């Protein structure tokens, strides 16, 4: 064995001594930290905790076509609770041991009470009984509870989620309900803050917003009381402000708390938080994806006072995109004034007016009255305001422009005339006699006849199609729509059969005249080509399809009830099962005016980012070309022009603007039961319509006006035309 030199032995011994010394120092340090000072470090560790803070994105701004501000964000404060630090709450079981924090917090921020339902605990057979008992406790009509309760139960029959029935409950009422809970299965009473926490809670480390729109003095009180309300903090959160209030109520819509169902539906995408606000109606809902922005997130360490000690990591939120609309604020104001004046004169409460560009489908103005102020919902609507809006019989929250489907009356004759000309049923020179009415015999009896009357009792005499549009003859369009088809067969003595075709009698005639018109199949083909029976695709939610009736539709809607000849005749004049939205009608008018191009109505001009860069440019979208020749559409337009200029035109002397050539079509759409007799004719409830385009020689805009008749009988020429006249003056800036 080779012996190490003395110098090597000394080096090894020195290194060993150093290592032993370092080990002793380390052990000593650990002993001091864990044993001697362990309690001190433990206290510090308990005071410093890691948090995940969601940095919510500011919602995008909304402008009108001229850059006018319509919607912006205003500074506001919200009270936020961190579940992991909330005294009396078990994060794992999601149950309260005590709710003292919320009781103390409620004294500061003036929180009210909420009565909620847990659907899976309320038997269906008990719904009515529970609603009735609650109505007595709340001292409100039972219907105001039955409706919301029924809708909640039908939509969520086995849900374990809570749903609010009534909020802003006074303490004494809350106590009365609490005392009756044994008789109210599935019903719970909560402090407003506790309810918000339970319905928005998601994860222990994610803060929950329990109160929005907190006043500044309350913010200060929360800060002072932080030691007594662990887990509670205040965060800035902007609130939407709608600058023009009721003027754009239906169009802009509003934001509100996200539903549990919508949150869970988007859970995988991690788009929302349980306490987020999302668009509920109007543009706010239709362009939710563009407006909402993208949330950020920060990992921070906070002390026992919820003060941030250090930030571990941070991702900034991305502000939502801004939206520029096609709407013109100044025009919207004038259209609203004109429509309100028309409603006042007609003594009715509801109506619609729309102005649209005929060359691209851009909506310049859309007014549905009555309207409502979106700001009521911005910070969370009160129960009082909610009840007022929902019990108002005039339906202020109902957008009649896209959600109301009405019989179009004689405005539909634009379609019937287009179809009759294109199918060769009539030519420009074809004439039919309009004697005031025709009679159509029943299949089983030639002597039993059904009268189809004109709106003008004495009739209009002989008419061609342009004249028929001018005076809006019902009889003329009955005749051009009635099809030549087999009605029945008669057996003769020799065993052969004679075919009896569909026919009609004029007053005093002994022999019938056979129909040789369009029939429902051809008529409905053109109606569908003009966009009826389907949604237009406008960016606003809540649009309905209306009804473009045909035999197949009727069999589905009324099983066992076959389509009849009478159904075809009344369809041709815009009655019967016909239902059309005002938006669909203005789109039909625009297509007639522009030569047959059907555009998708458009309310959004562009989407841009915070720096003003265009993210998405909304170009006009063509839905289709109506299968009607330019020559035939020109004849329809001429009939509409004559309706305004000819002495016997239905809009003559009602349009007072002379410097701009106007063309239009009136409509009086009967609904419901007979309400009286006038000039020997039954009078029914009716809506007043007028649709127009201008200028006649170079069409620029289309306008539609509807006055919702309700319990009245309104004529389009008397009530809707003057409103359109005022709108046209406003658009073309004509004072007289």
């Amino acid at each position: 064995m080779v012996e190490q030199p003395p110098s090597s032995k000394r080096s090894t011994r020195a290194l060993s001594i150093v290592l032993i010394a370092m080990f002793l120092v380390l052990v000593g340090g650990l002993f001091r930290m864990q044993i001697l000072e362990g309690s001190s470090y433990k206290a510090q560790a308990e005071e410093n905790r890691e948090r995940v803070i969601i940095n919510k994105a500011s919602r995008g701004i909304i402008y009108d076509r001229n850059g006018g501000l319509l919607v912006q964000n205003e500074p506001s404060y919200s009270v936020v609770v961190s579940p992991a630090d909330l005294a009396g709450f078990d994060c794992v079981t999601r149950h309260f041991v005590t709710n003292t924090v919320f009781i103390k917090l409620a004294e500061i921020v003036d929180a009210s009470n909420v009565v909620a339902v847990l659907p899976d605990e309320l038997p269906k057979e008990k719904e009515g009984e529970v609603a009735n008992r609650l109505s007595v406790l709340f001292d409100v009509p039972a219907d105001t509870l039955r409706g919301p309760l029924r809708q909640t139960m039908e939509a969520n029959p086995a849900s374990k989620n809570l749903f609010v029935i009534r909020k802003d409950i006074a303490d004494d009422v809350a106590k009365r309900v609490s005392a009756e809970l044994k008789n109210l299965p599935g019903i719970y009473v909560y402090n407003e803050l506790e309810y918000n926490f339970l319905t928005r809670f998601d994860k222990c480390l994610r803060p929950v917003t329990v109160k929005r729109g907190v006043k500044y003095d309350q913010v200060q009180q929360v800060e002072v009381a932080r030691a007594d309300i662990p887990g509670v903090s205040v965060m800035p959160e902007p609130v939407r402000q709608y600058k023009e209030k009721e003027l754009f109520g239906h169009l802009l819509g509003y934001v509100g708390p996200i539903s549990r169902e919508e949150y869970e539906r988007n859970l995988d995408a991690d788009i929302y938080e349980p306490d987020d606000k999302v668009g509920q109606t109007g543009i706010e809902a239709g362009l939710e994806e563009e407006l909402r922005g993208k949330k950020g997130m920060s990992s921070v360490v906070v002390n026992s006072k919820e003060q941030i000690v250090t930030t571990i990591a941070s991702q900034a939120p991305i502000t939502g995109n801004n939206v520029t609309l096609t709407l013109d604020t100044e025009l919207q104001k004038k259209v609203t004034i004109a429509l309100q004046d028309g409603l006042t004169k007609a003594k009715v409460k509801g109506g619609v007016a729309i102005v649209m560009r005929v060359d691209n489908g851009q909506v310049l103005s859309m007014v549905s009255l009555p309207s409502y102020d979106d700001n009521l919902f911005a910070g969370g609507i009160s129960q009082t305001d909610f009840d007022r809006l929902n019990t108002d019989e005039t339906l202020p929250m109902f957008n009649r422009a896209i959600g109301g489907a009405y019989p179009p009356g004689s405005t539909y004759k634009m379609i019937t005339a287009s179809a009759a000309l294109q199918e060769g049923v009539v030519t420009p020179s074809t004439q039919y006699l309009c004697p005031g009415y025709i009679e159509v015999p029943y299949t089983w009896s030639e002597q039993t006849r059904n009268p189809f009357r004109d709106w003008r009792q004495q009739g209009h005499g002989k008419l061609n199609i342009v004249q028929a549009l001018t005076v809006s003859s019902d009889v003329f369009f009955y005749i051009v729509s009635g099809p030549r088809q087999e009605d029945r067969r008669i057996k003769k003595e020799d065993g052969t059969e004679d075919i009896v075709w569909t026919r009609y009698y004029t007053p005093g005639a002994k022999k019938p005249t056979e129909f040789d018109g369009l029939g429902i199949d051809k008529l409905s083909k053109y109606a569908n080509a003009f966009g009826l029976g389907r949604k237009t695709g406008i960016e606003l939610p809540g649009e309905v399809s209306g009804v473009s009736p045909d035999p197949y539709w009727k069999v589905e809607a009324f099983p066992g009830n076959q389509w009849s000849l009478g159904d075809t005749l009344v369809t041709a004049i815009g009655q019967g099962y016909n239902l059309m939205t005002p938006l669909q009608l203005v789109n039909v008018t625009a297509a007639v005016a522009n030569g047959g191009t059907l555009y998708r109505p458009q309310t959004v001009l562009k989407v841009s980012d915070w720096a003003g860069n265009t993210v998405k440019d909304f170009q006009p979208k063509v839905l289709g070309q109506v299968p009607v020749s330019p020559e035939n559409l020109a004849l329809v337009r001429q009939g509409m022009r004559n309706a305004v200029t000819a002495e016997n035109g239905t809009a003559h002397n009602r349009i007072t603007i002379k410097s701009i050539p106007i063309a239009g079509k009136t409509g009086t759409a009967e609904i419901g039961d007979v309400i009286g007799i006038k000039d020997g004719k039954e009078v029914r409830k009716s809506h007043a319509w007028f649709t127009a385009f201008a200028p006649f020689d170079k069409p620029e805009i289309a306008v539609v006006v509807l006055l919702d008749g309700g319990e009245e009988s309104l004529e389009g020429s008397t009530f809707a035309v003057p409103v359109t006249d005022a709108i046209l003056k406003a658009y073309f800036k004509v004072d007289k």
Side-chain angles (χ1 to χ4, degrees), residues 3 329 419 636 644 682:
E3 187 177 350
T329 301
V636 176
V644 174
E682 293 179 343

Side-chain angles (χ1 to χ4, degrees), residues 11 62 70 95 104 156 172 297 321 330-331 339 344 389 394 405 490 545 556 603 655 671 698 730:
S11 298
I62 303 178
L70 299 180
H95 284 95
K104 292 177 181 177
N156 313 277
D172 59 331
M297 193 175 296
N321 289 323
E330 291 307 310
L331 181 63
L339 180 59
T344 301
L389 290 173
T394 65
I490 300 175
S545 301
E556 287 189 6
T603 57
I655 293 290
I671 53 172
K698 193 176 180 180

Side-chain angles (χ1 to χ4, degrees), residues 643-654:
V644 174
T645 60
E647 288 189 8
N648 60 348
T650 54
H652 182 63
N653 284 337
R654 302 285 184 180

Side-chain angles (χ1 to χ4, degrees), residues 164-380:
V164 65
I165 296 176
R166 204 162 181 82
K167 60 181 184 177
D168 298 339
I169 304 299
D171 289 340
D172 59 331
V173 177
K175 289 178 182 177
R176 289 204 303 267
V177 177
S178 297
E180 286 283 321
L181 289 180
K182 63 181 182 297
N183 300 315
L184 299 168
I187 302 300
Y188 290 84
V189 180
Y190 290 103
N191 172 300
E192 173 193 357
L193 308 173
E194 186 180 6
Y195 171 81
N196 289 338
F197 178 82
L198 288 172
T199 54
R200 297 171 184 173
F201 172 82
D202 183 41
K203 297 177 182 178
C204 286
L205 293 179
R206 288 198 176 182
V208 178
T209 301
V210 296
K211 182 74 173 180
R212 289 187 164 98
V214 180
K215 299 174 183 177
Y216 185 69
D217 64 317
Q218 294 174 334
V219 170
Q220 293 177 312
Q221 292 179 55
V222 170
E223 293 294 338
V224 171
R226 288 278 281 274
D228 298 324
I229 46 176
V232 177
S233 58
V234 177
M235 298 287 288
E237 183 180 14
V239 64
R240 294 297 253 181
Q241 182 186 49
Y242 301 92
K243 303 290 287 185
E244 299 293 343
K245 299 183 178 179
E246 293 92 346
L247 189 66
F248 290 102
H250 297 105
L251 285 162
L252 296 177
Y254 56 88
V255 295
I258 188 171
S259 67
R260 173 59 63 171
E261 290 73 22
E262 186 173 359
Y263 168 70
E264 292 174 350
R265 192 164 54 246
N266 291 281
L267 199 57
D268 292 341
D270 196 26
I271 297 171
Y272 296 111
E273 294 298 304
D275 58 356
D276 273 345
K277 283 189 172 184
V278 297
Q280 302 287 341
T281 60
I283 291 293
E284 292 277 29
L287 272 77
E288 167 67 17
E289 184 176 348
E290 287 79 6
L291 288 165
R292 71 185 175 215
K294 186 177 180 180
K295 66 184 178 183
M297 193 175 296
S298 297
S299 293
V300 301
V301 174
V302 299
N303 59 24
S304 60
K305 297 181 179 180
E306 288 297 315
Q307 296 169 326
I308 296 176
V309 175
T310 184
T311 299
I312 302 171
S314 181
Q315 180 183 355
I318 300 174
T319 301
N321 289 323
N322 299 329
V323 173
T324 300
L325 304 180
T326 62
L327 302 162
D328 185 315
T329 301
E330 291 307 310
L331 181 63
Q332 182 86 351
K333 290 177 180 178
K334 292 174 181 177
V335 171
T336 300
I337 292 171
L339 180 59
Q340 185 58 67
D341 184 56
L343 295 177
T344 301
K345 290 176 179 176
K347 299 179 181 179
V348 294
K349 302 296 185 182
V352 173
I354 304 174
V355 181
M356 188 171 76
R357 288 267 300 268
V358 304
D359 61 342
N360 56 20
Q362 289 182 5
V363 177
L364 305 179
S365 175
M366 180 185 288
V367 178
S368 176
L369 293 179
S371 185
Y372 68 99
D373 184 358
D374 298 308
N375 291 299
L376 292 173
F377 293 87

Side-chain angles (χ1 to χ4, degrees), residues 354-363 414-415 529-532 534-538 543 580-602 621-624 626 691-692 702-704:
I354 304 174
V355 181
M356 188 171 76
R357 288 267 300 268
V358 304
D359 61 342
N360 56 20
Q362 289 182 5
V363 177
M414 293 185 293
I415 296 173
F530 273 99
L532 303 191
R534 66 177 185 272
K535 298 177 182 179
T536 67
I538 196 169
E543 183 183 16
M580 196 184 301
T581 68
L583 183 64
Q584 287 174 324
L585 181 55
V586 77
N587 218 24
V588 169
T589 307
V592 170
N594 68 29
T597 302
L598 193 72
Y599 289 98
R600 182 180 69 181
Q602 177 183 342
K621 182 176 180 180
V622 176
L623 298 177
V626 298
T691 187
V703 180
V704 69

Side-chain angles (χ1 to χ4, degrees), residues 37-57:
E37 299 178 4
S39 58
S40 174
Y41 281 108
K42 182 180 179 182
Q44 290 181 42
E46 287 180 346
E47 286 186 358
N48 295 325
R49 299 188 181 184
E50 188 175 328
R51 292 280 179 271
V52 175
I53 297 177
I54 301 300
N55 303 317
K56 296 188 177 182

